[in-house]
């Protein structure tokens, strides 16, 4: 890989970085010649293609075939930016469609190494409609239950970003890469360049991770392992309860509702990060809702356990969950369901965010979508309530019939303070109201909401 800008490596350098000694078997679609100077008869187009071929050694802007990353076989497609800016023409579309079909027929995941300026203007609408071919091929691959991972390089813009890149299940980016639908020559002159960078797209929830090139092979190998295929589909094991020091918890049950609430709100109790670190050997985050939003108080992704099992996770971190968090949760659950991966949810929130910004961002619709994602899941979903279970904002992530609770948790139809206010009781009666709501862990088991108390 070049030392100056690894995001600008050639198509074959990128493939060699990932496959190493395992090698790569190139495929080519059946020949489909273009008319002289292309479908538009664009003067000089054939000469430009010949120069690009002489400069890069490639026949088109995409190379594809089968290879092994880590110990996982996959289909790799890699863009050659040196060939007419990695642009998409009809013959590029032939190769892209063939790569997706190769993945589908072989039952393999697809890894796309993207570096493109968009559709090839010398082929006009014939070039633009290749985006529809890619979208159709991607949809067929998705329907076959096979994952798609994109690595966006420098630059990734235009229709290539809006199909092969952003349309993948998991989107990784190389540091410093230009990433965005609008290329540098067509965006507004006063546009903030950060918005069109890998880092800016990560902040906006459009990219799952920015990965240094020296970590890319290992990261992709982990993702290919996590996304399957998987032969068995057992439910995710219930995490053990943790003490504040990270060891197994042996705390007694709370005697009153007010004690249960106080323990769940204790800042010293273990939070989602501690549970996930204890549960997984490797975590692979999914970041953002793909609609411009992120929620740092919700952790989502796929994890590899020390016993070799893969489990998808959605974990609340004790803060009010925002609409972007619920949308990211639904995205994670649906991807896991499509790929046959069990899901673990960790519930810990005082409730859904209820500020004006959350309402404008569609809090109700986002919560409804999360309820629907869990209700529709065919894979096992396991829930552990590790702290506060605040009303519907917490229940949206709880698995019906497979929810467990820790000794320092509670779950309530409404917060005790709000219940007292609605009932026009003085603040001094908040504790008694908590007792009346029957929100302790043992109450939740008695009421049939929880299956067991962990710890």
């Amino acid at each position: 890989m070049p030392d100056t800008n690894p995001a600008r490596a050639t198509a074959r350098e990128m493939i060699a970085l990932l496959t190493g000694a395992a090698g790569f078997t190139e495929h080519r679609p059946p020949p489909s010649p273009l008319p002289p100077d292309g479908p538009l008869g664009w003067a000089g187009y054939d000469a430009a293609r010949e120069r690009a071929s002489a400069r890069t050694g490639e026949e088109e802007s995409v190379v594809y075939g089968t290879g092994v990353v880590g110990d996982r076989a996959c289909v790799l497609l890699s863009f050659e930016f040196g060939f007419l800016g990695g642009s998409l023409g009809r013959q590029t579309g032939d190769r892209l469609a063939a790569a997706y079909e190769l993945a589908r027929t072989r039952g393999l995941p697809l890894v796309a190494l993207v570096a493109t300026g968009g559709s090839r203007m010398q082929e006009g609408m014939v070039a633009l409609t290749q985006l529809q071919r890619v979208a159709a091929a991607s949809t067929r691959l998705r329907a076959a239950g096979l994952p798609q991972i994109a690595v966006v390089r420098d630059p990734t813009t235009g229709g290539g970003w809006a199909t092969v890149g952003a349309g993948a299940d998991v989107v990784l980016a190389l540091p410093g890469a230009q990433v965005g639908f609008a290329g540098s020559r067509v965006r507004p002159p006063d546009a903030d360049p950060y918005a069109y960078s890998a880092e800016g797209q990560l902040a906006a929830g459009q990219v799952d991770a920015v990965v240094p090139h020296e970590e890319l092979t290992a990261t992709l190998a982990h993702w290919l392992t996590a996304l399957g295929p998987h032969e068995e589909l057992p439910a995710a094991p219930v995490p053990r309860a943790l003490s504040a020091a990270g060891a197994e918890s042996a705390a007694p049950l709370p005697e009153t509702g007010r004690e249960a609430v106080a323990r769940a709100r204790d800042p010293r109790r273990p939070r989602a990060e501690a549970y996930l670190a204890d549960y997984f050997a490797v975590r692979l985050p999914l970041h953002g809702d793909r609609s411009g939003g992120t929620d740092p108080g919700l952790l989502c992704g796929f994890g590899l356990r020390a016993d070799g099992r893969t489990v998808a996770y959605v974990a609340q971190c004790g803060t009010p969950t925002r609409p972007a968090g619920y949308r990211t949760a639904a995205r994670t659950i649906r991807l896991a369901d499509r790929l046959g991966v069990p899901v673990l949810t960790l519930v810990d929130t005082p409730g859904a965010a209820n500020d004006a910004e959350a309402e404008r961002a569609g809090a109700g619709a986002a919560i409804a979508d999360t309820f629907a994602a869990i209700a529709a899941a065919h894979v096992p979903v396991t829930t552990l309530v590790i702290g506060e279970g605040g009303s519907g904002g917490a229940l949206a992530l709880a698995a019906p019939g497979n929810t467990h609770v820790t000794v320092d948790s509670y779950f309530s139809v409404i917060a005790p303070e709000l219940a007292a206010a609605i009932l026009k009781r003085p603040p001094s009666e908040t504790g008694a109201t908590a007792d009346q709501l029957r929100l302790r862990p043992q109450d939740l088991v008695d009421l049939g909401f929880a299956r067991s108390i962990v710890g």
Side-chain angles (χ1 to χ4, degrees):
M1 296 279 298
D3 293 331
T4 53
N5 188 357
R8 280 289 181 98
T10 68
R12 294 182 190 273
E13 285 173 335
M14 286 298 302
I15 292 171
L17 169 71
L18 300 180
T19 59
F24 171 73
T25 302
E26 186 175 356
H27 289 242
R28 288 183 171 86
S32 179
L34 294 170
D37 277 334
L40 305 185
W42 187 288
Y45 180 44
D46 285 348
R49 288 179 57 87
E50 290 173 3
R51 290 192 298 271
S53 182
R55 183 169 57 251
T56 63
E58 304 296 350
E59 299 173 354
E60 247 303 338
S61 60
V62 163
V63 176
Y64 77 98
T66 55
V68 176
V69 178
D71 61 354
R72 294 285 172 156
C74 61
V75 169
L76 292 142
L77 70 86
S78 188
F79 281 74
E80 176 52 66
F81 189 77
F83 192 101
L84 300 179
S87 57
L88 282 70
R90 197 206 69 196
Q91 290 184 333
T92 322
D94 292 343
R95 292 182 173 223
L96 292 171
Y100 282 90
E101 183 63 13
L102 178 64
R104 191 183 70 82
T105 56
R106 296 279 182 94
L108 294 174
L110 183 136
V111 176
L113 311 170
V114 191
T116 173
S119 299
R120 193 170 298 169
M121 66 179 180
Q122 295 94 330
E123 294 189 26
M125 286 302 299
V126 172
L128 190 64
T129 57
Q130 302 311 305
L131 306 182
Q132 295 172 322
R133 292 182 69 189
V134 172
S138 175
T139 299
R140 288 191 292 270
L141 188 60
R142 186 170 290 109
L146 295 164
Q148 302 170 43
I149 304 173
V151 177
V152 292
R153 300 147 55 204
D154 185 34
T156 298
T157 61
W161 165 237
T163 51
V164 184
D169 299 313
V170 177
V171 181
L172 309 177
L174 292 181
Q178 178 189 173
V179 181
F181 185 65
S184 59
R185 298 184 183 180
V186 299
R187 67 183 64 142
D190 59 348
D192 178 8
Y194 180 73
Y196 304 86
S197 68
E199 292 75 11
Q201 295 286 7
L202 177 69
Q206 311 294 352
V207 164
D208 291 304
V210 175
V211 183
H213 79 282
E214 63 270 17
E215 299 176 11
L216 184 60
T217 304
T219 299
L220 274 173
H222 285 318
W223 268 115
L224 289 169
T225 298
L227 299 183
H230 304 282
E231 295 181 359
E232 298 181 1
L233 193 64
V238 180
R240 62 175 185 158
L242 302 177
S243 71
E248 191 167 354
S249 173
L253 290 170
E255 295 183 2
T256 64
R258 66 196 78 185
E259 181 187 349
V261 172
R263 285 169 59 168
R265 293 176 178 175
D266 188 335
R268 296 169 297 178
R269 69 161 171 81
R271 304 284 166 152
E273 183 63 41
Y275 278 90
L276 294 176
D278 182 71
Y279 193 76
F280 290 115
V282 176
R283 276 184 284 159
L284 303 163
L286 290 173
H287 181 75
D289 65 358
R290 296 295 185 267
S291 297
T294 63
D295 181 357
L298 193 80
L299 303 176
C300 295
F302 284 62
L304 302 175
R305 287 174 47 80
D307 61 7
R309 296 183 59 184
T310 298
V311 176
Y313 62 88
V314 175
Q316 292 171 316
C317 298
T319 58
T321 303
R322 306 204 64 81
Y326 290 112
R327 285 191 287 265
T328 308
R331 172 192 165 214
T332 302
I333 293 163
R334 290 193 173 105
L335 177 58
D337 190 43
R338 177 162 62 82
L339 300 179
V341 176
V343 177
L344 168 70
T345 67
L346 299 180
V347 169
D348 182 13
T349 179
N354 59 4
D355 53 74
E357 181 184 350
E359 293 297 338
R360 285 192 291 267
I367 294 168
D369 195 42
T370 307
F371 272 116
I374 287 184
H378 295 91
V379 296
V381 181
T382 302
T383 297
L384 180 63
V385 184
I386 62 173
E388 291 195 81
S391 194
L395 189 66
L397 292 180
N402 197 23
T403 290
H404 308 260
V405 292
T406 65
V407 295
D408 48 5
S409 69
Y410 79 89
F411 218 118
S412 178
V413 64
I414 190 171
E417 297 85 354
L418 298 179
I422 291 172
L423 296 171
K424 299 182 180 180
R425 295 176 177 176
S428 60
E429 294 189 24
T430 297
T433 303
D435 296 339
Q436 193 174 5
L437 285 168
R438 297 194 64 194
L439 46 70
R440 300 174 304 167
Q442 58 268 44
D443 295 325
L444 300 174
V445 173
D446 290 344
L447 291 169
F449 171 74
R451 287 182 58 181
S452 72
I453 300 171
V454 178

